[in-house]
Amino acid sequence: MIELIRTNDAVVISFVEALLRDAGIRFVVADQNMSVLDGSIGILPRRMLIDEEDAPTARKLLEDAGIAKEISGR
């Protein structure tokens, strides 16, 4: 699996989850429970992981949705 996005923004995570789910792309949100360590203040980013073969499609979805800046490595 590769990292698609890394963000502290719960809204972005939810939006990307919906986009990927609707496209039938499997994903995992890593570090989701790290809020226990940061006291639920959102300083530790969450990572969204996808299968490497789905990366081009997933990146295109984010670009089309206007959130390409959220893609890791850009």
Side-chain angles (χ1 to χ4, degrees):
M1 296 197 96
I2 63 166
E3 183 178 298
L4 177 64
I5 65 169
R6 178 184 301 229
T7 184
N8 300 28
D9 191 329
V11 174
V12 170
I13 290 285
S14 295
F15 183 49
V16 174
E17 282 178 338
L19 289 173
L20 295 178
R21 193 174 294 115
D22 288 349
I25 297 174
R26 294 180 324 137
F27 62 89
V28 172
V29 179
D31 309 321
Q32 197 162 285
N33 296 317
M34 293 300 287
S35 63
V36 172
L37 295 177
D38 73 10
S40 298
I41 59 174
I43 59 170
L44 297 174
R46 279 57 168 176
R47 295 175 295 136
M48 183 161 293
L49 308 174
I50 58 170
D51 289 330
E52 193 167 356
E53 64 266 9
D54 291 327
T57 304
R59 289 184 179 116
K60 178 81 169 107
L61 281 171
L62 271 59
E63 289 168 5
D64 291 348
I67 57 170
K69 68 180 185 338
E70 298 293 340
I71 299 172
S72 293
R74 288 203 174 193

